[in-house]
Amino acid sequence: MAEPKKYITSDDLKTHNKPGDLWISIQGKVYDVTDWSKSHPGGALPLLSLSGQDVTDAFVAFHPATAWRHLDTFFNGLYLQDYAVSEVSKDYRKLVAEFSKLGLFDKKGHGVLLSLCVIFVLLATSVYGVLRSDSALVHLLCGGMMGFIWIQSGWLGHDSGHYKIMPTKGLNRVAQILTGNCLAGISIAWWKWNHNAHHISCNSLDFDPDLQHMPFFVVSSKFFHSLTSCFYERKMNFDAVSRFLVSYQHWTFYPVMCIARINLFAQSIVLLLSKRKVPYRGQEILGLLVYWIWYPLLVSCLPNWGERVMFILASFTVTAIQHVQFCLNHFSSTIYLGPPTGNDWFQKQTSGTLNIECASWMDWFHGGLQFQIEHHLFPRLPRCQLRKISPIVVELCKKHNLPYNIAPFWEANVLTVRTLRNAALQARDLTNPVPKNLVWEAVNTHG
């Protein structure tokens, strides 16, 4: 005779939400993932952020069907007594299953091969131009070309962190190190750590690292209360320096984006030199060393310091386009405080994201970010499939009266700058405002 099932309530489950005592529920079954969090390929943070609740939607979003067979290893014999599924979640899970049956998660097209060929040709052209030409203009164009190479390698690095862009896991790892660490100087380990947290906690002010840019930028006045970052595990102090910089953030946004790459370099190095567990740390460090050998060496081949600085600025400035694109998708969207919740996964992903309207022939420019809503809902889906499923997602949003936010590229820029400006003006209106100079008065008197 089978033993009767043992049940716990959602309130009981919520108490198991800390390191050393980490439980989750998937389809009503309760799993103890305390030990697994130390080995979880996506890192411990996603499990910790969603701990103590049902995480079925997040699980199906990030894991292939083969992952289900491993769950019983962590089953603790308990079931969730008040487990319920919303109509939105039912439809969402049906879509994931349908896309799987259609093989959409496995159909990657030929975009990866084409991108790799383009990157190789442009890199060879840029190096040839630096070494063989005496023209300052040619050197400037080669610098811009290098920035474009970094953008395209960034798309491949991003994709390889979500799904296999190569035939095997080993080759995928090689592609990650080459396109991220070796070619662009950015640790793929840092990218995955940061990006997984962003996807899980989309637009949470204290959990999503992609909104935590103090002291340079804030998207909400809530940052004025010196929030604590659950990602960086430190307080984001809104002091006099932060207030001054934020007060001008709608003016400094694009200039800062031109040097934002420096922050990615620094974040990569800090992570790899930290005591935090980093998978394949040796490979990561070796990849960065390759970058910091070939790029400075190439720059040193230029005839004088003026052209060297020009080359670096050109490459950084072109890459700023990608940094701006990252911000457009989320800065002007709905934000919230606190940890992510598993019972409104679909709603949080759609409300916290903005798509960019563009023609299909411009898909190469946006690298999949133009379908950011679809990407957040189906992060394992190759970007070549995002346009195909977009109408289905639109209909599902309409059915459940949920937002499907989309704007042309230039309008998205306006929305982002407007968000930054609103927060900047609020920073000036605090009890102790930063003195307003005449330029600020002239520009902002009429709103």
Side-chain angles (χ1 to χ4, degrees):
M1 185 175 178
E3 292 185 13
K5 291 183 177 180
K6 298 178 182 179
Y7 292 91
I8 63 170
T9 66
S10 294
D11 289 336
D12 294 329
L13 183 61
K14 288 177 183 176
T15 63
H16 301 276
N17 65 344
K18 49 190 173 294
D21 183 18
L22 205 163
W23 291 9
I24 59 173
S25 165
I26 298 175
Q27 288 193 334
K29 295 179 71 173
V30 180
Y31 302 92
D32 184 346
V33 292
T34 304
D35 294 332
W36 172 237
S37 64
K38 302 170 186 176
S39 306
H40 183 233
L45 194 59
L47 290 173
L48 188 60
S49 298
L50 287 169
S51 60
Q53 55 185 314
D54 185 82
V55 299
T56 307
D57 287 346
F59 182 82
V60 300
F62 285 98
H63 299 83
T66 53
W68 288 89
R69 71 168 75 111
H70 302 290
L71 285 178
D72 281 344
T73 306
F74 313 108
F75 181 49
N76 62 7
L78 300 174
Y79 294 84
L80 199 58
Q81 188 175 45
D82 46 355
Y83 172 68
V85 185
S86 68
E87 293 302 314
V88 179
S89 289
K90 288 179 182 177
D91 286 344
Y92 171 62
R93 295 174 197 179
K94 287 178 183 177
L95 273 187
V96 175
E98 288 176 11
F99 293 164
S100 295
K101 289 179 181 178
L102 292 172
L104 297 186
F105 292 105
D106 301 315
K107 296 177 180 177
K108 303 175 179 66
H110 302 290
V112 173
L113 179 60
L114 180 61
S115 294
L116 288 173
C117 290
V118 169
I119 288 172
F120 175 78
V121 170
L122 291 181
L123 181 62
T125 303
S126 181
V127 171
Y128 183 83
V130 169
L131 298 180
R132 304 296 293 177
S133 176
D134 296 325
S135 169
L137 178 59
V138 170
H139 295 161
L140 177 65
L141 293 175
C142 289
M145 197 178 301
M146 190 63 66
F148 183 77
I149 291 168
W150 287 340
I151 290 177
Q152 295 305 311
S153 70
W155 300 142
L156 290 181
H158 169 267
D159 292 347
S160 68
H162 281 292
Y163 55 88
K164 286 194 304 183
I165 63 172
M166 303 298 282
T168 67
K169 185 177 179 180
L171 287 175
N172 197 66
R173 179 62 187 167
V174 171
Q176 289 178 336
I177 294 294
L178 286 178
T179 58
N181 299 56
C182 297
L183 188 58
I186 298 172
S187 164
I188 192 66
W190 169 81
W191 173 255
K192 291 172 70 174
W193 175 54
N194 181 284
H195 200 59
N196 285 339
H198 161 65
H199 268 268
I200 291 293
S201 310
C202 179
N203 271 33
S204 166
L205 297 181
D206 44 346
F207 279 78
D208 184 354
D210 281 10
L211 293 185
Q212 298 172 0
H213 302 293
M214 292 266 280
F216 297 102
F217 305 120
V218 302
V219 297
S220 168
S221 60
K222 291 182 174 65
F223 280 107
F224 301 165
H225 302 293
S226 297
L227 301 177
T228 296
S229 168
C230 295
F231 178 78
Y232 294 110
E233 299 177 339
R234 59 176 172 80
K235 194 172 184 179
M236 297 178 286
N237 291 312
F238 188 71
D239 51 22
V241 173
S242 299
R243 184 155 54 87
F244 176 78
L245 293 174
V246 167
S247 297
Y248 293 92
Q249 64 179 3
H250 52 308
W251 292 108
T252 60
F253 175 63
Y254 292 108
V256 169
M257 289 297 104
C258 290
I259 56 173
R261 196 163 194 81
I262 296 174
N263 177 55
L264 304 190
F265 293 154
Q267 295 280 3
S268 297
I269 294 171
V270 167
L271 174 65
L272 295 182
L273 295 182
S274 72
K275 295 181 180 179
R276 189 180 297 276
K277 182 179 179 181
V278 179
Y280 308 107
R281 189 190 298 265
Q283 294 178 8
E284 296 281 340
I285 293 175
L286 181 61
L288 289 192
L289 287 176
V290 170
Y291 171 81
W292 286 108
I293 290 173
W294 78 260
Y295 183 69
L297 186 61
L298 180 65
V299 173
S300 69
C301 292
L302 291 165
N304 55 67
W305 278 105
E307 291 196 23
R308 291 166 191 163
V309 172
M310 178 185 68
F311 182 91
I312 293 171
L313 288 178
S315 60
F316 278 35
T317 301
V318 170
T319 317
I321 297 171
Q322 189 175 62
H323 296 296
V324 170
Q325 287 172 306
F326 290 144
C327 298
L328 300 185
N329 291 131
H330 297 287
F331 271 26
S332 63
S333 299
T334 302
I335 47 116
Y336 66 98
L337 266 174
T341 50
N343 61 359
D344 61 354
W345 172 263
F346 192 98
Q347 296 92 316
K348 283 281 173 60
Q349 301 300 324
T350 54
S351 65
T353 307
L354 175 70
N355 274 12
I356 305 300
E357 183 181 343
C358 75
S360 58
W361 62 272
M362 280 294 289
D363 285 350
W364 64 270
F365 176 76
H366 296 282
L369 297 190
Q370 72 276 31
F371 295 110
Q372 188 75 344
I373 295 174
E374 289 77 8
H375 171 60
H376 266 256
L377 292 173
F378 309 98
R380 293 184 296 109
L381 199 66
R383 69 170 120 139
C384 62
Q385 304 292 346
L386 296 177
R387 184 174 289 276
K388 181 184 299 182
I389 70 159
S390 179
I392 302 173
V393 175
V394 171
E395 288 304 313
L396 187 57
C397 288
K398 286 181 180 178
K399 177 181 177 180
H400 295 286
N401 197 27
L402 295 172
Y404 184 89
N405 302 311
I406 184 169
F409 181 73
W410 299 114
E411 184 180 334
N413 276 267
V414 171
L415 292 172
T416 297
V417 173
R418 184 182 298 162
T419 298
L420 294 172
R421 182 176 179 275
N422 288 341
L425 298 184
Q426 291 177 67
R428 290 174 174 275
D429 287 338
L430 296 178
T431 306
N432 254 337
V434 176
K436 300 175 182 178
N437 58 40
L438 293 177
V439 174
W440 187 93
E441 293 284 2
V443 173
N444 294 285
T445 298
H446 301 290

